[in-house]
Amino acid sequence: NEKFLFRKIAAETLLVPIKDNVGDMGSIYNLNDVWAFVWEQIDGVQSLLDIKNRLLAEYEVSSREAEEDLFEYLAQLKEIDAVRLT
């Protein structure tokens, strides 16, 4: 969703919702390294399998864990309307 800004500031990675062209500072989401990595992969072109495979290449995690975590994270992003699944 283009109404979210993704910013890396110092050691923090933030996802900020935009309302009426202004950042909603009361609803900032602090992403850990893995979720920031996933967010950067979501481009509307890559499949979930592509993103899962990138997770497996980047982190020491089992295929099952990567898939479960990816689906959990995407569900959370969908809940806050940060992504639209097609």
Side-chain angles (χ1 to χ4, degrees), residues 13-49:
T13 305
L14 307 173
L15 192 59
V16 182
I18 303 299
K19 294 182 182 174
D20 299 323
N21 295 321
V22 178
D24 182 0
M25 303 313 271
S27 297
I28 294 176
Y29 302 93
N30 190 350
L31 306 180
N32 66 29
D33 291 341
V34 175
W35 298 140
F37 177 83
V38 170
W39 178 264
E40 291 177 309
Q41 305 308 306
I42 300 171
D43 59 7
V45 177
Q46 295 185 78
S47 70
L48 292 180
L49 180 59

Side-chain angles (χ1 to χ4, degrees), residues 21 25 27 37-38 40 53 60-62 64 76 84 86:
N21 295 321
M25 303 313 271
S27 297
F37 177 83
V38 170
E40 291 177 309
N53 288 334
E60 289 186 27
V61 61
S62 72
R64 180 178 177 192
Q76 291 175 18
R84 295 182 184 115
T86 57

